Amino acid sequence: MIQGVIFDLDGVLVSTDEFHYLGWQRLADSEGIYFDRRINERLRGVSRMESLAILLERATKTYSPPEKEAMAARKNAYYRELLQQITPRDVLPGVLPVLEGLKVAGIKTAIASSSRNCPLILERTGLAGRFDAVADGNHITNSKPDPEIFLLAARRLGLPAQVCLVVEDAEAGVTGALAAGMKVLAVGFAAADARAQLRAKGLGDVSVPQMLAV
Ligand code: B16
Ligand code: MG
């Protein structure tokens, strides 16, 4: 029986995944490196520096470690510029009713996001304080597909992995959650992932009883 639900942030609770794409595209364009939405799919749930390494697979010159740090910082600045537009209206459909339904059912909730910008996004969307625990990119060494972030979120909830359901939109996130021994509800870009126990277009297309019965 599910006792805790652990949510990914970008692409599950809010569409910041589009802003990540726009930030990386701007960086790639300024460096003359080919980048597109298909390549961007590989960056979902992956840390900032690992994302840069994937983007640099198409680079024609090699970059030193300090140059790479500067590029990652530049992308983050572009991304944070876009985050200034975010308001509580950008919380994705179904999120607030699901959170309310879980609360009424006595189910604990947590965030497991690879993003180091997670606190800023939670603040700007009004979601800060709505979860029993938060685990983000500032608290871990290995990002998704490693299970570390999910295990940390479960530990902070005081729950064993087997009673946790993870909501994810990334292949790397689904892999990490399953490796942690948790059940998965795959949504958005991961909605066709056959490894997940439950699949839906978004949180607006699934009910709390369905989530708790996986
Ligand atoms: P930042 P999630 C992930 O967040 C994003 O999906 C991924 O595209 C991004 O590179 C990663 O956070 C790190 O983000 O640069 O803000 O630290 O999907 O795990 O909530
Ligand atoms: Mg995501």
Side-chain angles (χ1 to χ4, degrees):
M1 185 63 189
I2 296 301
Q3 292 174 34
V5 178
I6 300 174
F7 296 88
D8 171 54
L9 178 64
D10 296 322
V12 168
L13 301 180
V14 60
S15 288
T16 36
D17 49 334
E18 179 65 13
F19 292 167
H20 276 297
Y21 161 68
L22 292 171
W24 287 121
Q25 186 70 66
R26 186 170 165 193
L27 178 77
D29 290 347
S30 73
E31 292 289 327
I33 299 168
Y34 181 77
F35 187 72
D36 61 19
R37 286 186 181 271
R38 198 181 46 83
I39 300 171
N40 183 63
E41 284 311 303
R42 293 173 56 204
L43 312 188
R44 282 182 191 277
V46 170
S47 75
R48 200 178 304 165
M49 291 311 284
E50 286 165 325
S51 297
L52 178 66
I54 293 170
L55 181 143
L56 290 179
E57 287 172 6
R58 295 289 192 117
T60 48
K61 65 170 259 201
T62 52
Y63 294 86
S64 68
E67 282 172 330
K68 288 182 188 172
E69 288 292 339
M71 287 167 88
R74 237 163 74 216
K75 181 269 171 179
N76 196 46
Y78 299 153
Y79 177 61
R80 286 178 73 101
E81 211 175 291
L82 293 165
L83 285 183
Q84 295 311 313
Q85 308 167 20
I86 292 267
T87 75
R89 285 194 303 276
D90 294 299
V91 173
L92 285 167
V95 171
L96 297 179
V98 161
L99 287 178
E100 199 45 49
L102 291 172
K103 196 174 177 180
V104 169
I107 303 297
K108 289 186 178 172
T109 56
I111 297 262
S113 167
S114 301
S115 177
R116 301 179 74 177
N117 291 294
C118 180
L120 171 68
I121 298 166
L122 292 180
E123 208 55 58
R124 291 203 60 89
T125 51
L127 288 172
R130 299 286 303 250
F131 298 85
D132 297 301
V134 175
D136 67 36
N138 300 294
H139 312 134
I140 51 159
T141 317
N142 306 298
S143 93
K144 303 165 188 178
D146 192 282
E148 184 180 349
I149 191 106
F150 301 109
L151 294 171
L152 177 64
R155 195 159 65 242
R156 289 184 172 177
L157 287 179
L159 294 174
Q162 317 84 266
V163 300
C164 293
L165 171 72
V166 172
V167 188
E168 260 292 348
D169 75 317
E171 191 187 330
V174 174
T175 304
L178 293 174
M182 299 176 183
K183 301 275 186 353
V184 177
L185 160 57
V187 297
F189 283 82
D193 197 318
R195 298 171 301 162
Q197 286 80 8
L198 191 60
R199 291 176 286 276
K201 208 164 147 252
L203 280 169
D205 305 283
V206 64
S207 70
V208 167
Q210 276 176 313
M211 290 171 73
L212 301 184
V214 292

